[in-house]
Amino acid sequence: MDALSERSLLERAERPESPRLRASAERFVAAIDRERLEVAGGPFGILTRTLPFLQPESSEDLAQWLPLPCVIGMSWRWTEPEARPGREDLAAYLLAPARADRTDPDAASGWWVPDFGIGAMHEGKNRVRYLRDTCGAELMPASLTTLRFPRADRLQLLEAEAGPGRFYALLLDGRWLAVLADPSLSLPLLRAYGVHPAPWPNRLPSFDDLLGSGEWQSYAHGTPSAIDIQAWQRRQRAQYDRLPGEPFDIIDSSPHWPGFRRLAWIAVGSGLLGGVLAALSGGHLGVLGSASLTAASVATGALLALTIPLIQAPRSAWKRGHCGPGADGAT
């Protein structure tokens, strides 16, 4: 007898101990089934939109008994199936442990999140409601990939008011941010998990800026989109450093500013030019006139230095305290 054909050899899929979390998972699946929710990616897409940052625990699948009240399927497409030749007792056939073998032609397979006790079907998604509601089954055999959700202490659930309205986002490790696409589905699960909404912190960029950044990217397998806050802030600082400085900032700049020597040389050169012009005047200007012309040349050269492209130096060169490594405390 094959190992998968022996019912006792299939273990039940792991579920959380918290009764509140279990009840929340069942309400979550019932709401999806009631609304007949469909998104890109099917049941798996619904799961990852609701719970970002899911990660596979291993590359190996497990043959397990799946609790049907907690499984996302698409059973409304197949509520009254017709028996096929040789499978007149369809329910018994679909509930046989052999259906948890991936090599079986009618195998059921999917994903399981033990931290919430929620599953999503890949193969066999149309049989979930039939087995649960029509046949009264509580468990279904399936080959499952285990997905793990980050611990609650690594997560922050943030609430923000932006131009289009109110948004909720999940922040992982203070770095990765994912906007919740379906807060009405996500929030009850996250609250039961121990993650509660908090106001948007001042230490983060404004939510409007993040929404308009166009820098959302794939975080990992299964996560629709997330943004790396730290990388975003580094890019913003780099862009800020490339912006032109303000002309009068030179008054407060350090003598070590890269253009300081150039400014001094231009002033000296202008003074020498004024002296040469005074000498060429043949003495007609007199001592006072020569001195005035030289001083005016120095001043004119300094003013010209403030208006030429030298003032397009990075802000980090203009602002005092930004020149040394680590001066801004950033890493």
Side-chain angles (χ1 to χ4, degrees), residues 27 61 132:
R27 287 193 296 269
D61 294 345
R132 185 187 63 216

Side-chain angles (χ1 to χ4, degrees), residues 94-265:
L94 294 177
L95 293 172
R99 303 294 87 76
D101 185 350
R102 273 194 178 270
T103 63
D104 187 86
D106 290 313
S109 62
W111 300 266
W112 181 250
V113 185
D115 304 288
F116 287 89
I118 297 175
M121 298 308 298
H122 174 55
E123 297 292 343
K125 54 183 170 287
N126 295 328
R127 69 185 68 168
V128 173
R129 190 173 181 180
Y130 166 74
L131 293 174
R132 185 187 63 216
D133 298 346
T134 304
C135 304
E138 295 183 359
L139 300 171
M140 181 181 79
S143 177
L144 301 174
T145 298
T146 302
L147 302 176
R148 287 292 178 179
F149 194 68
R151 299 188 315 272
D153 60 4
R154 298 176 58 196
L155 298 167
Q156 288 180 276
L157 179 58
L158 304 177
E159 180 179 356
E161 294 286 345
R166 178 174 296 180
F167 288 84
Y168 291 91
L170 201 60
L171 184 66
L172 173 64
D173 295 333
R175 176 176 180 178
W176 293 96
L177 186 79
V179 177
L180 299 181
D182 298 295
S184 61
L185 294 175
S186 301
L187 292 181
L189 289 173
L190 292 172
R191 287 191 178 102
Y193 193 62
V195 184
H196 301 277
W200 192 265
N202 293 330
R203 63 182 175 81
L204 294 181
S206 73
F207 194 73
D208 280 310
D209 290 343
L210 292 176
L211 282 180
S213 67
E215 296 184 17
W216 299 87
Q217 58 190 357
S218 174
Y219 171 76
H221 174 69
T223 300
S225 61
I227 189 170
D228 185 343
I229 294 292
Q230 294 180 7
W232 188 91
Q233 290 175 321
R234 285 195 298 270
R235 285 191 289 269
Q236 292 301 306
R237 284 195 295 268
Q239 182 179 3
Y240 178 82
D241 286 346
R242 288 194 298 270
L243 292 174
E246 297 176 6
F248 293 103
D249 283 347
I250 194 171
I251 298 175
D252 298 325
S253 65
S254 164
H256 299 291
W257 171 67
F260 185 83
R261 291 183 180 179
R262 282 177 249 178
L263 175 62
W265 280 112

